[in-house]
Amino acid sequence: MRLLVLGGTKNLGRHVVEVALADGHQVTLFNRGLTNPGLFPSVERIIGERADPVALASGEWDAVIDMSGFLVRDIRRSVEVLRDRVGHYTFMSTIGVYASKTTPAMTESAELLPWPSGAPEDEFSMDLYGPSKARAELLLTEAFGDQLSAVRSGFVVGPYNPDFGNWGEALATGKALECAARPDQPIQYLDARDLVAFLLRLSIDGAGGAFNAVSESTTMRALAEAWRSVVPGSPPVDWDPPEDRFHLTHDGTFQLDNRKALAAGLVVRPAEESARDFVEWIRAGNTPPPPPH
């Protein structure tokens, strides 16, 4: 498959390229060439800004995986230049698109956040993150119809990724896991490798629609104990640390219905496997990137 990856050298996007190449796909990277520019030296690379009208002026691909679609302005540009030149568009979205943060068991048809009146389409802020992704989904759906997959994920764990990085570092160094969220707080997550496999599966199969790409809902206590189990004798969880790394306040956000994604091929590995591999990756000398907020 001829695959265009928008981004592809940071965190989750890095996994996408590694797996795509291992599976024998022909990959083209489009990014600014600023993050990890030495990665994937054998891969075709197009350097440019997404807002530049000539940056992607030529080329055709069977599918595009968009890992860097944050600004609404950039999504509009993607629609303009790629509408007739890609077979399928897979968009990395977020569970933060939902209007309700308290309703449990929301499916992909739940109401999405509106675009704030007068908000700038060319500026990024965390306040606009959810609305921007929701607006991007709308624009892409209007352009690509059932050739669009919008993958809504939340916490992503594993090598190269920041989420739960403090837990991995704590376990790797014999320290206590810190968690300011209450023990019965619902939580959903996904291993980066499972999310990447799903992104590629949708791109290959051409499956359209939105998908809640998350694990089954569990509690922070259960998840923390699953992680602690991979390092016998690890200290008890510190439920009152000085810093809140999770900022979890809305239960409904982490009780989403993931049945549609599972039916489309999402596979969720056990939490213990993700934790064990993350700890081993850190013990091998790697450091998780800082959280984005």
Side-chain angles (χ1 to χ4, degrees), residues 108-148:
E108 290 81 358
S109 62
E111 181 182 358
L112 304 187
L113 288 167
W115 182 248
S117 177
E121 292 191 347
D122 59 350
E123 296 181 13
F124 176 77
S125 69
M126 288 309 299
D127 289 341
L128 285 177
Y129 179 63
S132 292
K133 290 289 190 178
R135 190 165 180 82
E137 286 190 24
L138 175 61
L139 294 172
L140 291 168
T141 300
E142 291 174 346
F144 292 94
D146 60 8
Q147 293 179 330
L148 170 74

mmCIF file of all heavy atoms in Angstrom, residues 108-148:
data_model
loop_
_atom_site.group_PDB
_atom_site.id
_atom_site.type_symbol
_atom_site.label_atom_id
_atom_site.label_comp_id
_atom_site.label_asym_id
_atom_site.label_seq_id
_atom_site.Cartn_x
_atom_site.Cartn_y
_atom_site.Cartn_z
ATOM 1 N N GLU A 108 -20.211 6.408 19.315
ATOM 2 C CA GLU A 108 -19.647 7.376 18.388
ATOM 3 C C GLU A 108 -20.689 8.367 17.861
ATOM 4 O O GLU A 108 -20.317 9.403 17.283
ATOM 5 C CB GLU A 108 -18.991 6.642 17.212
ATOM 6 C CG GLU A 108 -17.727 5.896 17.560
ATOM 7 C CD GLU A 108 -17.944 4.532 18.206
ATOM 8 O OE1 GLU A 108 -19.128 4.153 18.426
ATOM 9 O OE2 GLU A 108 -16.954 3.836 18.488
ATOM 10 N N SER A 109 -21.958 8.083 18.042
ATOM 11 C CA SER A 109 -23.006 8.979 17.567
ATOM 12 C C SER A 109 -23.375 10.058 18.585
ATOM 13 O O SER A 109 -24.255 10.885 18.322
ATOM 14 C CB SER A 109 -24.265 8.180 17.205
ATOM 15 O OG SER A 109 -24.787 7.519 18.350
ATOM 16 N N ALA A 110 -22.722 10.077 19.739
ATOM 17 C CA ALA A 110 -23.016 11.089 20.754
ATOM 18 C C ALA A 110 -22.675 12.484 20.232
ATOM 19 O O ALA A 110 -21.856 12.658 19.330
ATOM 20 C CB ALA A 110 -22.231 10.801 22.033
ATOM 21 N N GLU A 111 -23.316 13.489 20.803
ATOM 22 C CA GLU A 111 -23.128 14.865 20.361
ATOM 23 C C GLU A 111 -21.680 15.311 20.556
ATOM 24 O O GLU A 111 -21.060 15.034 21.582
ATOM 25 C CB GLU A 111 -24.058 15.793 21.147
ATOM 26 C CG GLU A 111 -23.955 17.260 20.750
ATOM 27 C CD GLU A 111 -24.851 18.158 21.589
ATOM 28 O OE1 GLU A 111 -25.584 17.625 22.461
ATOM 29 O OE2 GLU A 111 -24.800 19.391 21.392
ATOM 30 N N LEU A 112 -21.159 16.037 19.548
ATOM 31 C CA LEU A 112 -19.795 16.536 19.616
ATOM 32 C C LEU A 112 -19.769 18.007 20.033
ATOM 33 O O LEU A 112 -20.782 18.696 19.975
ATOM 34 C CB LEU A 112 -19.110 16.385 18.252
ATOM 35 C CG LEU A 112 -19.067 14.990 17.651
ATOM 36 C CD1 LEU A 112 -18.198 14.989 16.396
ATOM 37 C CD2 LEU A 112 -18.577 13.947 18.648
ATOM 38 N N LEU A 113 -18.603 18.448 20.445
ATOM 39 C CA LEU A 113 -18.427 19.839 20.834
ATOM 40 C C LEU A 113 -18.647 20.766 19.644
ATOM 41 O O LEU A 113 -18.207 20.472 18.531
ATOM 42 C CB LEU A 113 -17.011 20.065 21.374
ATOM 43 C CG LEU A 113 -16.689 19.475 22.745
ATOM 44 C CD1 LEU A 113 -15.177 19.517 22.979
ATOM 45 C CD2 LEU A 113 -17.416 20.244 23.844
ATOM 46 N N PRO A 114 -19.316 21.894 19.860
ATOM 47 C CA PRO A 114 -19.468 22.877 18.783
ATOM 48 C C PRO A 114 -18.197 23.701 18.623
ATOM 49 O O PRO A 114 -17.349 23.731 19.525
ATOM 50 C CB PRO A 114 -20.627 23.744 19.276
ATOM 51 C CG PRO A 114 -20.479 23.710 20.768
ATOM 52 C CD PRO A 114 -19.985 22.323 21.108
ATOM 53 N N TRP A 115 -18.087 24.371 17.488
ATOM 54 C CA TRP A 115 -16.963 25.293 17.288
ATOM 55 C C TRP A 115 -17.323 26.628 17.915
ATOM 56 O O TRP A 115 -18.351 27.210 17.574
ATOM 57 C CB TRP A 115 -16.668 25.454 15.809
ATOM 58 C CG TRP A 115 -15.491 26.346 15.536
ATOM 59 C CD1 TRP A 115 -15.515 27.581 14.956
ATOM 60 C CD2 TRP A 115 -14.123 26.076 15.840
ATOM 61 N NE1 TRP A 115 -14.255 28.102 14.882
ATOM 62 C CE2 TRP A 115 -13.370 27.197 15.421
ATOM 63 C CE3 TRP A 115 -13.458 24.999 16.438
ATOM 64 C CZ2 TRP A 115 -11.998 27.271 15.575
ATOM 65 C CZ3 TRP A 115 -12.089 25.073 16.589
ATOM 66 C CH2 TRP A 115 -11.365 26.192 16.157
ATOM 67 N N PRO A 116 -16.498 27.146 18.823
ATOM 68 C CA PRO A 116 -16.821 28.420 19.488
ATOM 69 C C PRO A 116 -16.907 29.569 18.488
ATOM 70 O O PRO A 116 -16.040 29.713 17.622
ATOM 71 C CB PRO A 116 -15.650 28.616 20.460
ATOM 72 C CG PRO A 116 -15.051 27.257 20.639
ATOM 73 C CD PRO A 116 -15.244 26.564 19.342
ATOM 74 N N SER A 117 -17.918 30.362 18.613
ATOM 75 C CA SER A 117 -18.104 31.494 17.720
ATOM 76 C C SER A 117 -16.913 32.446 17.792
ATOM 77 O O SER A 117 -16.493 32.852 18.879
ATOM 78 C CB SER A 117 -19.387 32.246 18.092
ATOM 79 O OG SER A 117 -19.551 33.394 17.285
ATOM 80 N N GLY A 118 -16.353 32.762 16.632
ATOM 81 C CA GLY A 118 -15.244 33.700 16.571
ATOM 82 C C GLY A 118 -13.891 33.127 16.899
ATOM 83 O O GLY A 118 -12.896 33.863 16.892
ATOM 84 N N ALA A 119 -13.803 31.834 17.188
ATOM 85 C CA ALA A 119 -12.514 31.224 17.524
ATOM 86 C C ALA A 119 -11.603 31.205 16.296
ATOM 87 O O ALA A 119 -12.065 30.956 15.178
ATOM 88 C CB ALA A 119 -12.713 29.809 18.049
ATOM 89 N N PRO A 120 -10.303 31.446 16.470
ATOM 90 C CA PRO A 120 -9.376 31.449 15.329
ATOM 91 C C PRO A 120 -9.083 30.027 14.853
ATOM 92 O O PRO A 120 -8.848 29.139 15.659
ATOM 93 C CB PRO A 120 -8.121 32.112 15.893
ATOM 94 C CG PRO A 120 -8.167 31.794 17.361
ATOM 95 C CD PRO A 120 -9.622 31.789 17.741
ATOM 96 N N GLU A 121 -9.098 29.828 13.537
ATOM 97 C CA GLU A 121 -8.820 28.507 12.982
ATOM 98 C C GLU A 121 -7.334 28.257 12.793
ATOM 99 O O GLU A 121 -6.944 27.151 12.421
ATOM 100 C CB GLU A 121 -9.552 28.331 11.652
ATOM 101 C CG GLU A 121 -11.063 28.272 11.784
ATOM 102 C CD GLU A 121 -11.744 27.842 10.496
ATOM 103 O OE1 GLU A 121 -11.065 27.831 9.439
ATOM 104 O OE2 GLU A 121 -12.929 27.486 10.553
ATOM 105 N N ASP A 122 -6.502 29.261 13.043
ATOM 106 C CA ASP A 122 -5.066 29.119 12.812
ATOM 107 C C ASP A 122 -4.246 29.222 14.092
ATOM 108 O O ASP A 122 -3.046 29.452 14.046
ATOM 109 C CB ASP A 122 -4.587 30.159 11.810
ATOM 110 C CG ASP A 122 -4.850 31.590 12.274
ATOM 111 O OD1 ASP A 122 -5.569 31.761 13.275
ATOM 112 O OD2 ASP A 122 -4.333 32.522 11.638
ATOM 113 N N GLU A 123 -4.897 29.042 15.245
ATOM 114 C CA GLU A 123 -4.192 29.075 16.519
ATOM 115 C C GLU A 123 -4.555 27.835 17.334
ATOM 116 O O GLU A 123 -5.691 27.370 17.293
ATOM 117 C CB GLU A 123 -4.547 30.340 17.310
ATOM 118 C CG GLU A 123 -4.115 31.635 16.645
ATOM 119 C CD GLU A 123 -4.478 32.852 17.472
ATOM 120 O OE1 GLU A 123 -4.844 32.675 18.663
ATOM 121 O OE2 GLU A 123 -4.415 33.970 16.938
ATOM 122 N N PHE A 124 -3.576 27.324 18.100
ATOM 123 C CA PHE A 124 -3.819 26.131 18.914
ATOM 124 C C PHE A 124 -3.763 26.487 20.392
ATOM 125 O O PHE A 124 -2.917 27.253 20.836
ATOM 126 C CB PHE A 124 -2.771 25.051 18.643
ATOM 127 C CG PHE A 124 -2.934 23.846 19.536
ATOM 128 C CD1 PHE A 124 -3.918 22.910 19.284
ATOM 129 C CD2 PHE A 124 -2.127 23.678 20.653
ATOM 130 C CE1 PHE A 124 -4.079 21.808 20.115
ATOM 131 C CE2 PHE A 124 -2.285 22.585 21.490
ATOM 132 C CZ PHE A 124 -3.270 21.648 21.212
ATOM 133 N N SER A 125 -4.700 25.934 21.144
ATOM 134 C CA SER A 125 -4.681 26.011 22.597
ATOM 135 C C SER A 125 -5.387 24.766 23.115
ATOM 136 O O SER A 125 -6.172 24.137 22.397
ATOM 137 C CB SER A 125 -5.392 27.272 23.092
ATOM 138 O OG SER A 125 -6.791 27.192 22.854
ATOM 139 N N MET A 126 -5.130 24.411 24.361
ATOM 140 C CA MET A 126 -5.782 23.234 24.918
ATOM 141 C C MET A 126 -7.294 23.430 25.012
ATOM 142 O O MET A 126 -8.062 22.476 24.892
ATOM 143 C CB MET A 126 -5.203 22.907 26.296
ATOM 144 C CG MET A 126 -3.796 22.329 26.256
ATOM 145 S SD MET A 126 -3.588 20.922 25.133
ATOM 146 C CE MET A 126 -4.738 19.718 25.837
ATOM 147 N N ASP A 127 -7.742 24.669 25.188
ATOM 148 C CA ASP A 127 -9.182 24.936 25.234
ATOM 149 C C ASP A 127 -9.852 24.630 23.901
ATOM 150 O O ASP A 127 -11.046 24.289 23.861
ATOM 151 C CB ASP A 127 -9.440 26.403 25.606
ATOM 152 C CG ASP A 127 -9.113 26.709 27.057
ATOM 153 O OD1 ASP A 127 -9.047 25.755 27.860
ATOM 154 O OD2 ASP A 127 -8.902 27.891 27.387
ATOM 155 N N LEU A 128 -9.109 24.763 22.815
ATOM 156 C CA LEU A 128 -9.667 24.517 21.477
ATOM 157 C C LEU A 128 -9.346 23.117 20.957
ATOM 158 O O LEU A 128 -9.761 22.768 19.845
ATOM 159 C CB LEU A 128 -9.134 25.551 20.482
ATOM 160 C CG LEU A 128 -9.717 26.960 20.574
ATOM 161 C CD1 LEU A 128 -9.035 27.873 19.567
ATOM 162 C CD2 LEU A 128 -11.225 26.942 20.333
ATOM 163 N N TYR A 129 -8.626 22.318 21.745
ATOM 164 C CA TYR A 129 -8.192 21.010 21.250
ATOM 165 C C TYR A 129 -9.385 20.137 20.860
ATOM 166 O O TYR A 129 -9.461 19.643 19.727
ATOM 167 C CB TYR A 129 -7.340 20.312 22.304
ATOM 168 C CG TYR A 129 -6.857 18.942 21.887
ATOM 169 C CD1 TYR A 129 -6.010 18.789 20.805
ATOM 170 C CD2 TYR A 129 -7.249 17.807 22.595
ATOM 171 C CE1 TYR A 129 -5.564 17.520 20.414
ATOM 172 C CE2 TYR A 129 -6.800 16.552 22.223
ATOM 173 C CZ TYR A 129 -5.967 16.414 21.131
ATOM 174 O OH TYR A 129 -5.532 15.171 20.750
ATOM 175 N N GLY A 130 -10.332 19.945 21.790
ATOM 176 C CA GLY A 130 -11.504 19.131 21.487
ATOM 177 C C GLY A 130 -12.350 19.711 20.373
ATOM 178 O O GLY A 130 -12.700 19.005 19.409
ATOM 179 N N PRO A 131 -12.722 21.010 20.455
ATOM 180 C CA PRO A 131 -13.497 21.606 19.372
ATOM 181 C C PRO A 131 -12.792 21.550 18.019
ATOM 182 O O PRO A 131 -13.444 21.370 16.983
ATOM 183 C CB PRO A 131 -13.692 23.050 19.845
ATOM 184 C CG PRO A 131 -13.645 22.969 21.330
ATOM 185 C CD PRO A 131 -12.618 21.913 21.622
ATOM 186 N N SER A 132 -11.471 21.705 18.005
ATOM 187 C CA SER A 132 -10.730 21.658 16.743
ATOM 188 C C SER A 132 -10.819 20.274 16.110
ATOM 189 O O SER A 132 -11.023 20.140 14.899
ATOM 190 C CB SER A 132 -9.262 22.029 16.972
ATOM 191 O OG SER A 132 -9.118 23.379 17.332
ATOM 192 N N LYS A 133 -10.654 19.239 16.926
ATOM 193 C CA LYS A 133 -10.749 17.879 16.400
ATOM 194 C C LYS A 133 -12.168 17.569 15.915
ATOM 195 O O LYS A 133 -12.354 16.919 14.878
ATOM 196 C CB LYS A 133 -10.323 16.878 17.469
ATOM 197 C CG LYS A 133 -8.844 16.891 17.802
ATOM 198 C CD LYS A 133 -8.003 16.321 16.681
ATOM 199 C CE LYS A 133 -6.561 16.118 17.109
ATOM 200 N NZ LYS A 133 -5.714 15.510 16.052
ATOM 201 N N ALA A 134 -13.172 18.044 16.642
ATOM 202 C CA ALA A 134 -14.559 17.824 16.224
ATOM 203 C C ALA A 134 -14.841 18.533 14.900
ATOM 204 O O ALA A 134 -15.480 17.979 14.009
ATOM 205 C CB ALA A 134 -15.517 18.319 17.306
ATOM 206 N N ARG A 135 -14.369 19.768 14.773
ATOM 207 C CA ARG A 135 -14.576 20.508 13.533
ATOM 208 C C ARG A 135 -13.814 19.861 12.381
ATOM 209 O O ARG A 135 -14.296 19.807 11.243
ATOM 210 C CB ARG A 135 -14.141 21.965 13.706
ATOM 211 C CG ARG A 135 -14.541 22.885 12.543
ATOM 212 C CD ARG A 135 -14.401 24.335 12.980
ATOM 213 N NE ARG A 135 -14.745 25.295 11.952
ATOM 214 C CZ ARG A 135 -15.979 25.687 11.654
ATOM 215 N NH1 ARG A 135 -17.008 25.144 12.288
ATOM 216 N NH2 ARG A 135 -16.194 26.598 10.714
ATOM 217 N N ALA A 136 -12.615 19.364 12.669
ATOM 218 C CA ALA A 136 -11.835 18.675 11.648
ATOM 219 C C ALA A 136 -12.573 17.433 11.147
ATOM 220 O O ALA A 136 -12.623 17.168 9.938
ATOM 221 C CB ALA A 136 -10.468 18.289 12.207
ATOM 222 N N GLU A 137 -13.141 16.661 12.069
ATOM 223 C CA GLU A 137 -13.909 15.480 11.671
ATOM 224 C C GLU A 137 -15.045 15.858 10.730
ATOM 225 O O GLU A 137 -15.306 15.175 9.727
ATOM 226 C CB GLU A 137 -14.469 14.762 12.897
ATOM 227 C CG GLU A 137 -13.452 13.982 13.706
ATOM 228 C CD GLU A 137 -14.126 13.109 14.748
ATOM 229 O OE1 GLU A 137 -15.313 12.766 14.543
ATOM 230 O OE2 GLU A 137 -13.481 12.768 15.750
ATOM 231 N N LEU A 138 -15.731 16.951 11.039
ATOM 232 C CA LEU A 138 -16.845 17.398 10.206
ATOM 233 C C LEU A 138 -16.368 17.768 8.807
ATOM 234 O O LEU A 138 -16.956 17.340 7.798
ATOM 235 C CB LEU A 138 -17.534 18.591 10.866
ATOM 236 C CG LEU A 138 -18.662 19.260 10.056
ATOM 237 C CD1 LEU A 138 -19.784 18.273 9.796
ATOM 238 C CD2 LEU A 138 -19.185 20.499 10.785
ATOM 239 N N LEU A 139 -15.298 18.552 8.717
ATOM 240 C CA LEU A 139 -14.777 18.975 7.423
ATOM 241 C C LEU A 139 -14.309 17.780 6.598
ATOM 242 O O LEU A 139 -14.553 17.702 5.386
ATOM 243 C CB LEU A 139 -13.621 19.952 7.623
ATOM 244 C CG LEU A 139 -13.976 21.307 8.249
ATOM 245 C CD1 LEU A 139 -12.706 22.083 8.570
ATOM 246 C CD2 LEU A 139 -14.876 22.103 7.320
ATOM 247 N N LEU A 140 -13.636 16.845 7.253
ATOM 248 C CA LEU A 140 -13.128 15.673 6.540
ATOM 249 C C LEU A 140 -14.257 14.743 6.102
ATOM 250 O O LEU A 140 -14.211 14.157 5.014
ATOM 251 C CB LEU A 140 -12.132 14.921 7.423
ATOM 252 C CG LEU A 140 -10.802 15.649 7.667
ATOM 253 C CD1 LEU A 140 -10.018 14.962 8.783
ATOM 254 C CD2 LEU A 140 -9.972 15.697 6.386
ATOM 255 N N THR A 141 -15.291 14.624 6.933
ATOM 256 C CA THR A 141 -16.435 13.798 6.564
ATOM 257 C C THR A 141 -17.155 14.388 5.361
ATOM 258 O O THR A 141 -17.573 13.655 4.442
ATOM 259 C CB THR A 141 -17.408 13.670 7.744
ATOM 260 O OG1 THR A 141 -16.730 13.055 8.850
ATOM 261 C CG2 THR A 141 -18.611 12.811 7.369
ATOM 262 N N GLU A 142 -17.310 15.702 5.340
ATOM 263 C CA GLU A 142 -17.951 16.349 4.203
ATOM 264 C C GLU A 142 -17.182 16.109 2.907
ATOM 265 O O GLU A 142 -17.777 15.973 1.835
ATOM 266 C CB GLU A 142 -18.072 17.848 4.461
ATOM 267 C CG GLU A 142 -19.067 18.211 5.563
ATOM 268 C CD GLU A 142 -19.054 19.695 5.891
ATOM 269 O OE1 GLU A 142 -18.100 20.389 5.455
ATOM 270 O OE2 GLU A 142 -19.980 20.168 6.585
ATOM 271 N N ALA A 143 -15.854 16.029 3.019
ATOM 272 C CA ALA A 143 -15.022 15.869 1.828
ATOM 273 C C ALA A 143 -14.835 14.418 1.412
ATOM 274 O O ALA A 143 -14.863 14.094 0.223
ATOM 275 C CB ALA A 143 -13.655 16.510 2.067
ATOM 276 N N PHE A 144 -14.664 13.520 2.383
ATOM 277 C CA PHE A 144 -14.288 12.143 2.071
ATOM 278 C C PHE A 144 -15.394 11.121 2.315
ATOM 279 O O PHE A 144 -15.269 9.972 1.905
ATOM 280 C CB PHE A 144 -13.039 11.748 2.859
ATOM 281 C CG PHE A 144 -11.797 12.484 2.440
ATOM 282 C CD1 PHE A 144 -11.397 13.638 3.090
ATOM 283 C CD2 PHE A 144 -11.038 12.032 1.382
ATOM 284 C CE1 PHE A 144 -10.261 14.330 2.702
ATOM 285 C CE2 PHE A 144 -9.895 12.702 0.977
ATOM 286 C CZ PHE A 144 -9.504 13.863 1.634
ATOM 287 N N GLY A 145 -16.463 11.521 3.006
ATOM 288 C CA GLY A 145 -17.581 10.602 3.232
ATOM 289 C C GLY A 145 -17.144 9.334 3.921
ATOM 290 O O GLY A 145 -16.424 9.367 4.929
ATOM 291 N N ASP A 146 -17.548 8.186 3.363
ATOM 292 C CA ASP A 146 -17.210 6.907 3.992
ATOM 293 C C ASP A 146 -15.777 6.475 3.719
ATOM 294 O O ASP A 146 -15.367 5.377 4.095
ATOM 295 C CB ASP A 146 -18.189 5.819 3.566
ATOM 296 C CG ASP A 146 -18.210 5.579 2.065
ATOM 297 O OD1 ASP A 146 -17.365 6.147 1.342
ATOM 298 O OD2 ASP A 146 -19.086 4.813 1.600
ATOM 299 N N GLN A 147 -14.990 7.347 3.070
ATOM 300 C CA GLN A 147 -13.564 7.092 2.917
ATOM 301 C C GLN A 147 -12.756 7.674 4.087
ATOM 302 O O GLN A 147 -11.533 7.640 4.072
ATOM 303 C CB GLN A 147 -13.050 7.696 1.608
ATOM 304 C CG GLN A 147 -13.615 7.027 0.360
ATOM 305 C CD GLN A 147 -13.099 7.679 -0.911
ATOM 306 O OE1 GLN A 147 -12.803 8.878 -0.940
ATOM 307 N NE2 GLN A 147 -12.988 6.899 -1.961
ATOM 308 N N LEU A 148 -13.462 8.197 5.089
ATOM 309 C CA LEU A 148 -12.799 8.752 6.267
ATOM 310 C C LEU A 148 -12.982 7.848 7.475
ATOM 311 O O LEU A 148 -14.087 7.395 7.763
ATOM 312 C CB LEU A 148 -13.367 10.138 6.614
ATOM 313 C CG LEU A 148 -12.896 10.696 7.974
ATOM 314 C CD1 LEU A 148 -11.455 11.162 7.896
ATOM 315 C CD2 LEU A 148 -13.811 11.810 8.458
#
